[in-house]
Amino acid sequence: MRTFDTIITGGTVVTAADRITCDVGIKDGRIVALGTGFTDADEIIDATGKLVLPGGIDAHVHIAQPSGEGIVMADDFESGTRSAALGGTTTVMPFCLQEKGQSLRAALTAYHAKAAGECHVDVSFHLIISDPTDQVLGQELPALVEDGYTSFKIFMTYEGLALNDREILDVMSVARETGALVMVHAENYDAIRFMTEQLEKAGRTAPRFHATSRPIAVEREATHRAISLAELVDVPVMIVHVSNREAMEQIRWAQQKGLTVLGETCTQYLVLTENDLDGLGMEGAKYVCSPPPRDVASQEACWEGLRTGVFTVFSSDHCPFRYDDEQGKLTPKGRSSFRWVPNGIPGVAARLPILFSEGVMKGRIDLERFVAVTATNPAKTYGLYPRKGTIAIGSDADVTIWDPTCTKTLTYTLLGDGADYTPYEGMEITGWPVLTMVRGRTVVRDGWVVGAKGHGEHLARAKSPFAKAPGPVSFA
Ligand code: DUC
Ligand code: ZN
Ligand code: ZN
């Protein structure tokens, strides 16, 4: 029997801390050796001139999520995880949405049934709490945290999803008591409703007014409120999909005050602006997502947040709807007002190439930071480290090999998801993931999916090291 199943030779191995030229030895799906001169393997992958990085972890994606009457998300678990693999991502963390009146267990059973046997990469669910009943808070959530569902998202906006401040405090208290991590969608629901009604009365109903209806103040206020509520119950909180300087500065302020407040930004806030919502006819619907993309100064602020560590996690918020489809962006109601256009854009495959090209190749962030925000920090934050998120002995052999000289023009057919467009169409990219390996098995090579679906597994997670040791909420 050979020493290794696979060796990756001659590449530059990069982690969040170091880069070194060495061989990687893989056995039974794990990294078992790092060194030089490895030869004894069933398969030898020559990575000379290439970068050998931990596979990406996209900690914020939506797949096969119910999205309102008559609307269908463009990805199922097969296409969503295929797209992830094509873009160099080896683990995705989709949301399991609790619908009103539904038990969390029932929601999870339904999502697991959708994912079973379909996935190309590993998957681990966050929960979305939309109905925090006594039963959910008192029994279901604590049991599910122990079962490895150690993070949950709450919304401060959206009909049927928004929790009021009291409900947010209740959910945060359960997180405090169980050692779970709360993720917050921070936008002020009443302010958005007010703005939307004003705009509709004035006949301003085109997709671009989606951005007008959710200005920065709406996000800044909710971000500050979420931080304050978390401070009250002494619980860490992750503010997701931050789009601008003012919200970023709320997080920085809290961090400087000593609170455990974490921040995530996403691809769209680095490279899109609200002007993208301005296209002819309904074209702007292709860019409708929440919070909306802002302006160039906001992009700069998001880069600053990534560079300086205010944002530790970089995600796609992949939430795909087809454009030319009555069940997608061109839903008939959407023509009457932006408020009915489904919120969300595809991006799970474009996330890493865009950050690599715009960030590393243009000198905005270094390679180690790239690895940190796209793999190591998400793994640490959500209880997957050190099994995932790094190249180290004992870790899963989740590896992406990058050719830093490869250039591509982004177009949706490269990306393999179920949408019929990409909001990043035409972007010139330098640096591309030429091989994606999940637990020792190559799933993508040179832009082709070579593994069969079903290799991806669901991962139960440990508690976040950022979460408090479980204990009751106490007040002095
Ligand atoms: N929030 C998300 O996290 N994703 C898509 C839509 C939204 O509002
Ligand atoms: Zn959200
Ligand atoms: Zn999202």
Side-chain angles (χ1 to χ4, degrees):
M1 209 204 313
R2 295 194 187 267
T3 313
F4 303 113
D5 298 332
T6 304
I7 52 179
I8 302 172
T9 61
T12 302
V13 174
V14 187
T15 68
D18 300 298
R19 67 181 89 177
I20 184 170
T21 300
C22 72
D23 302 336
V24 180
I26 295 163
K27 184 90 185 155
D28 297 330
R30 299 237 164 158
I31 296 166
V32 294
L34 299 169
T36 52
F38 296 173
T39 52
D40 188 32
D42 293 332
E43 181 192 23
I44 299 176
I45 299 174
D46 181 8
T48 306
K50 310 233 170 37
L51 301 169
V52 180
L53 270 48
I57 298 179
D58 195 337
H60 187 151
V61 304
H62 304 262
I63 298 177
Q65 187 172 302
S67 304
E69 210 182 309
I71 304 294
V72 177
M73 201 163 264
D75 273 325
D76 56 20
F77 280 87
E78 195 282 321
S79 60
T81 59
R82 169 174 16 117
S83 183
L86 284 165
T89 288
T90 51
T91 299
V92 292
M93 302 185 65
F95 293 91
C96 165
L97 169 70
Q98 176 203 25
E99 300 195 66
K100 280 257 189 273
Q102 191 181 31
S103 83
L104 293 174
R105 286 269 176 209
L108 273 168
T109 302
Y111 273 80
H112 277 287
K114 292 192 245 194
E118 295 295 311
C119 297
H120 293 272
V121 304
D122 285 347
V123 169
S124 189
F125 290 119
H126 308 285
L127 303 167
I128 290 176
I129 312 299
S130 69
D131 199 2
T133 60
D134 289 348
Q135 165 75 12
V136 165
L137 296 174
Q139 272 106 58
E140 284 208 282
L141 254 187
L144 288 170
V145 173
E146 291 311 310
D147 285 354
Y149 302 94
T150 54
S151 49
F152 24 90
K153 183 176 178 190
I154 55 176
F155 285 80
M156 298 172 83
T157 188
Y158 288 129
E159 187 74 38
L161 282 179
L163 304 189
N164 63 34
D165 290 355
R166 171 59 203 259
E167 291 171 322
I168 292 172
L169 286 165
D170 287 338
V171 174
M172 286 179 168
S173 298
V174 175
R176 176 71 182 85
E177 285 160 15
T178 58
L181 186 60
V182 180
M183 310 159 77
V184 181
H185 178 127
E187 288 186 296
N188 181 316
Y189 183 40
D190 284 335
I192 293 168
R193 283 200 296 188
F194 171 80
M195 297 291 289
T196 300
E197 281 165 24
Q198 297 294 315
L199 286 162
E200 286 180 343
K201 272 189 213 149
R204 300 181 161 205
T205 56
R208 70 145 291 116
F209 295 108
H210 168 78
T212 319
S213 72
R214 321 170 89 99
I216 285 173
V218 160
E219 184 181 344
R220 183 198 62 223
E221 183 279 329
T223 301
H224 185 85
R225 185 156 38 101
I227 291 169
S228 303
L229 298 176
E231 183 182 6
L232 275 183
V233 286
D234 185 27
V235 75
V237 68
M238 164 65 85
I239 310 294
V240 295
H241 49 46
V242 177
S243 72
N244 68 87
R245 176 170 298 280
E246 294 184 19
M248 186 269 276
E249 285 180 344
Q250 300 302 308
I251 298 169
R252 184 161 61 196
W253 167 80
Q255 291 169 346
Q256 285 169 351
K257 202 168 132 69
L259 300 174
T260 306
V261 174
L262 306 166
E264 171 204 75
T265 193
C266 307
T267 323
Q268 52 270 40
Y269 306 119
L270 300 181
V271 298
L272 300 180
T273 69
E274 64 179 328
N275 294 338
D276 289 305
L277 279 82
D278 247 339
L280 275 182
M282 290 298 288
E283 278 287 310
K286 290 180 176 173
Y287 304 88
V288 166
C289 60
S290 296
R294 309 289 185 183
D295 56 11
V296 172
S298 299
Q299 293 177 349
E300 279 312 312
C302 291
W303 281 112
E304 182 184 316
L306 277 179
R307 213 172 28 245
T308 59
V310 177
F311 301 136
T312 47
V313 172
F314 179 73
S315 306
S316 68
D317 198 0
H318 180 76
C319 186
F321 299 96
R322 288 172 57 79
Y323 173 67
D324 191 8
D325 193 325
E326 295 207 337
Q327 294 183 318
K329 295 286 189 180
L330 294 190
T331 175
K333 276 170 88 178
R335 294 180 192 276
S336 70
S337 170
F338 59 84
R339 87 153 83 188
W340 303 112
V341 174
N343 268 236
I345 57 177
V348 69
R351 173 184 76 121
L352 295 176
I354 289 176
L355 190 68
F356 191 94
S357 187
E358 291 293 312
V360 178
M361 297 310 288
K362 294 192 175 171
R364 291 174 165 125
I365 57 171
D366 63 20
L367 254 180
E368 288 80 1
R369 171 84 48 191
F370 175 86
V371 170
V373 299
T374 60
T376 315
N377 292 346
K380 287 183 175 171
T381 303
Y382 295 111
L384 288 171
Y385 185 84
R387 177 175 173 193
K388 302 287 189 187
T390 193
I391 294 189
I393 292 170
S395 294
D396 281 0
D398 292 349
V399 178
T400 302
I401 300 180
W402 287 76
D403 180 349
T405 65
C406 179
T407 57
K408 302 248 187 214
T409 305
L410 278 190
T411 187
Y412 78 92
T413 50
L414 281 177
L415 304 175
D417 61 41
D420 54 354
Y421 78 100
T422 168
Y424 309 111
E425 183 74 30
M427 274 191 79
E428 301 295 342
I429 299 291
T430 302
W432 198 260
V434 292
L435 185 142
T436 307
M437 175 184 286
V438 177
R439 283 178 283 100
R441 188 184 297 179
T442 298
V443 295
V444 168
R445 190 188 288 272
D446 296 325
W448 296 97
V449 176
V450 294
K453 70 177 186 179
H455 178 57
E457 289 176 354
H458 184 265
L459 308 165
R461 285 179 284 119
K463 290 175 186 172
S464 171
F466 294 108
K468 295 274 175 188
V473 181
S474 64
F475 297 98

